[in-house]
Amino acid sequence: MRFDIVTIFPAMIAAGLAEGVVGRAIASGIIDFQVHDLRDFTIDRHRSVDDVPYGGGPGMVMKPEPLVAAVDRIRQTRGNPGAVIVTSPQGREFTQRQAERLAGVRHVAVLCGRYEGMDERVLSLVGAEEVSIGDYVLSGGELAALVIVDAVSRLIPGVVGDGQSVEEDSFSRGLLDRPHYTRPAECGGLKVPDVLLSGHHAEVRRWRKKEALARTLERRPELLESAALDDEERALLDELTASEKSKLESRK
Ligand code: 4GX
């Protein structure tokens, strides 16, 4: 997997990818990652990357030429990316499904916007798609680029050790994760649920499924519409919705 990131804050990207499983994957060469300083692609004395907006108004807009030159350089020196992404609140929502799609694209370039955004022509000139990591406003595209690189990288074989299973991750199954516990068995007066100490593997599995379903039903019920549930999970969900309904009834 190859990533190229274009930014005016290269140190921010480097720092964000230096640690953890992704940092190790970059160090070991499983992930080939390069960060490009946008100012290296300016041609004026002041190395300007922004200019005033046509039509007036507050804020600045990123000039198109340095961004186009940066993508040209990536194409010449690193190959043609299968996807060029501009991180922006106007983009299509980044989800686990999008992460899976991008993990199948062997080379991804990300352009990080600052200020009010980029000259609109950049999108068509470099063949970029806009992607949003969520409905809130960041002060720049760098954190969004890091989110995308992180979520995609951990889907590449060898990045996450097989101790932690990527397939069992909550969102690849379409459900929220269950609670987790470790020693001690009691902490601050709070006990670990008995079933987890019981050694009954079948019961532990069932408990975990039920907890994941209960949380999803409570916090993100819309996820259940598209979750891939097995027969046991369907039955557990029916139990949970039935007990919710009877609670509501008894309140009348
Ligand atoms: N998910 N921002 C980008 C500047 C900008 C605006 C438009 C390109 C086009 C964000 C998000 C996000 C704030 C990053 C505006 N660049 N990016 N920036 N939410 O809020 O991705």
Side-chain angles (χ1 to χ4, degrees), residues 125-145:
L125 286 171
V126 305
E129 52 179 308
E130 285 180 283
V131 173
S132 168
I133 64 160
D135 291 343
Y136 35 77
V137 181
L138 302 171
S139 50
E142 285 75 12
L143 288 173

Side-chain angles (χ1 to χ4, degrees), residues 86-90 113-117 131-134 136-138 140-141 144:
V86 170
T87 48
S88 148
Q90 281 70 244
R114 285 265 152 182
Y115 320 111
E116 305 306 308
V131 173
S132 168
I133 64 160
Y136 35 77
V137 181
L138 302 171

Side-chain angles (χ1 to χ4, degrees), residues 109-169:
V110 186
L111 312 182
C112 304
R114 285 265 152 182
Y115 320 111
E116 305 306 308
M118 295 172 188
D119 185 293
E120 189 70 16
R121 293 168 292 184
V122 170
L123 296 172
S124 56
L125 286 171
V126 305
E129 52 179 308
E130 285 180 283
V131 173
S132 168
I133 64 160
D135 291 343
Y136 35 77
V137 181
L138 302 171
S139 50
E142 285 75 12
L143 288 173
L146 287 171
V147 165
I148 293 168
V149 170
D150 187 279
V152 173
S153 294
R154 57 193 304 293
L155 297 176
I156 304 301
V159 172
V160 174
D162 37 54
Q164 309 134 279
S165 166
V166 167
E167 286 99 73
E168 281 186 19
D169 277 348

Side-chain angles (χ1 to χ4, degrees), residues 15 31 36 42 44-45 53 77 94 104 147 158 186 189 191 201 219:
I31 307 259
H36 306 267
T42 55
D44 65 310
R45 222 160 46 84
T77 62
F94 184 68
V147 165
E186 188 181 332
K191 287 187 174 146
H201 296 303
R219 302 176 189 178

Side-chain angles (χ1 to χ4, degrees), residues 17 34 39 54 78 176 189 235 243:
L17 297 175
Q34 214 165 285
R39 291 199 197 274
Y54 272 123
R78 304 266 292 161
L176 300 186
S243 76

